[in-house]
C-alpha cells in the first residue's frame, strides 16, 4: 500500500563534519495505537535505499531520499504480543531482491519466530528459526543490524547471530569474552567486515577493544584489531567512517564526536543528542534504485514528534 500524502519526518543530513542541513522523510502517520505521536526508527540501508519502521505499529517503509520515492510494505504476518522485535534490511544479488527480516520473541511462549519480506514477491513469509536460537536472545534494540556481503548480523545477549539473505539460514558465533567480563558492546562495519567493540573490565578499569569476525582458512574466528585509550570518555562507538576514524557518543555531555584511533585525537561534531534527538548515525550512498510500487512524493506535511538519523555520505 502506498500513501498519497505521506507525512514528512526531518532527518539530519551531515554533509561534512562542520555543517549540516535537513532533508524530509516522506512517511505518512499510520499506526494502530491511539498515540498522537509519530516516531520512526532507522532499520537499515542498502544501495541508496533506506528502511524505516514505525515505533507504534508493525508498519515498515522503504525509501530512496535521492529520488524522493517510497513504499509502505504489506502488514507482517506475525502480529502478536512480544518481548522484543528486531529488524534487518539487505540485498540478495543472486535473486536481485531486497529483503527485510523480522525476528520477534513471543511474550506468551517465549519462543523466537521470524519472517521475511521479499520485494520481488511483495509479501511476508515465515522462515525457520533453529531451536538452539531460543537461548540466544534477547535482542538488543539499540544496537543496529548490519548487512555485510549480503549477510545480516544481529547482536543478541550471548552471541552474534548471522542470517544469509540468499540461503536464508541462521548461524551463531559466540563472543570472544565470557559474558561476566563484558560491561557493554556494540557492532559496526570495519574495513568491510562485521566488527564489535567490547567494553570489558581490565584490572581496576574498563577498556574498549575492537574485534572483527574473520574467515581464516574456512574457520570463522574473532580477531583483535585495536584498543581505545583507557582515559577516553566513550560510552558507545556508533560508526566507522574509514581512515581510522570512528563516531562515538559521550552520554555525560550528550555529544557525538569523531575519534581518530591512529592519531589519538578527538573532534566534536556540531551535533547534540539533546538538541537534535538523535537516534542513530549511518553511512549513506546516493543511488537511483527504486522498487516496484514506489510512488513520487508530491505533498509534504511537517511533523514535530520525530526521531533523527544522521546520514554520513560514503566516500
Amino acid at each position: 500500500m502506498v500513501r498519497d500524502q505521506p507525512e514528512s519526518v526531518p532527518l539530519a543530513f551531515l554533509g561534512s563534519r562542520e555543517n549540516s542541513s535537513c532533508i524530509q522523510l516522506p512517511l505518512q502517520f499510520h499506526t494502530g495505537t491511539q498515540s498522537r505521536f509519530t516516531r520512526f526508527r532507522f532499520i537499515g540501508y542498502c544501495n541508496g535505499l533506506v528502511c524505516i519502521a514505525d515505533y507504534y505499529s508493525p508498519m515498515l517503509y522503504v525509501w530512496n531520499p535521492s529520488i524522493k520515492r517510497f513504499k509502505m510494505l504489506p502488514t507482517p504476518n506475525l502480529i502478536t504480543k512480544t518481548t522484543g522485535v528486531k529488524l534487518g534490511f539487505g540485498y540478495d544479488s543472486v535473486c536481485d531482491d531486497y529483503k527485510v527480516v523480522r525476528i520477534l520473541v513471543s511474550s506468551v511462549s517465549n519462543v523466537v519466530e521470524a519472517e521475511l519480506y521479499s520485494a520481488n514477491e511483495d509479501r511476508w513469509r515465515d522462515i525457520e528459526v533453529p531451536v538452539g536460537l531460543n537461548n540466544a536472545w534477547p535482542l538488543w534494540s539499540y544496537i543496529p543490524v548490519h548487512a555485510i556481503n549480503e549477510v545480516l548480523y544481529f547482536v543478541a545477549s550471548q552471541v552474534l547471530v548471522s542470517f544469509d539473505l540468499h540461503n536464508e539460514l541462521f548461524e551463531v558465533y559466540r563472543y570472544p569474552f565470557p559474558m561476566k567480563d563484558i560491561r557493554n558492546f556494540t557492532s559496526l562495519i570495519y574495513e568491510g567486515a562485521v566488527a564489535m567493540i567490547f567494553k570489558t573490565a581490565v584490572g581496576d578499569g574498563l577498556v574498549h577493544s575492537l574485534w572483527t569476525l574473520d574467515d581464516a582458512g574456512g574457520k570463522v574466528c574473532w580477531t583483535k584489531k585495536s584498543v581505545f585509550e583507557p582515559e577516553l570518555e566513550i560510552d558507545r562507538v556508533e560508526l566507522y567512517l574509514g581512515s581510522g576514524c570512528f563516531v562515538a557518543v559521550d552520554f555525560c555531555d550528550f555529544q557525538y564526536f569523531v575519534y581518530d584511533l591512529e592519531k589519538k585525537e578527538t573532534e566534536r561534531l556540531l551535533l547534540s543528542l539533546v538538541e537534535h534527538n538523535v537516534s542513530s548515525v549511518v553511512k549513506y550512498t546516493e543511488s537511483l534504485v527504486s522498487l516496484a510500487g514506489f510512488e513520487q512524493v508530491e505533498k509534504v506535511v511537517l511533523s514535530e514528534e520525530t526521531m533523527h538519523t544522521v546520514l554520513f555520505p560514503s566516500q
Side-chain angles (χ1 to χ4, degrees), residues 21-150:
S21 58
C22 192
I23 58 177
Q24 302 300 324
L25 174 62
L27 294 180
Q28 182 171 5
F29 177 76
H30 183 82
T31 178
T33 70
Q34 299 301 314
S35 171
R36 65 184 179 86
F37 298 118
T38 305
R39 299 182 73 84
F40 298 93
R41 58 189 171 118
F42 170 84
I43 300 304
Y45 62 97
C46 184
N47 300 335
L49 298 181
V50 178
C51 184
I52 303 291
D54 186 336
Y55 263 109
Y56 298 112
S57 82
M59 301 314 301
L60 291 154
Y61 308 81
V62 175
W63 169 59
N64 187 329
S66 299
I67 61 176
K68 297 181 176 62
R69 298 172 74 90
F70 86 107
K71 176 182 180 179
M72 188 169 72
L73 304 188
T75 304
N77 297 325
L78 299 175
I79 306 297
T80 183
K81 292 183 178 181
T82 70
T83 57
V85 176
K86 196 67 176 177
L87 296 151
F89 173 67
Y91 178 64
D92 174 4
S93 63
V94 177
C95 298
D96 188 23
D97 194 7
Y98 289 89
K99 298 178 178 180
V100 178
V101 175
R102 186 170 179 264
I103 305 174
L104 61 155
V105 183
S106 170
S107 59
V108 178
S109 62
N110 205 35
V111 172
V112 178
E113 298 177 285
E115 59 184 338
L116 180 144
Y117 170 81
S118 162
N120 287 350
E121 301 172 16
D122 194 28
R123 69 182 181 93
W124 291 91
R125 52 183 167 82
D126 295 350
I127 52 178
E128 184 179 356
V129 177
V131 176
L133 286 188
N134 283 309
N135 298 322
W137 317 105
L139 299 159
W140 297 104
S141 59
Y142 70 89
I143 299 179
V145 175
H146 297 292
I148 307 171
N149 298 324
E150 301 179 22

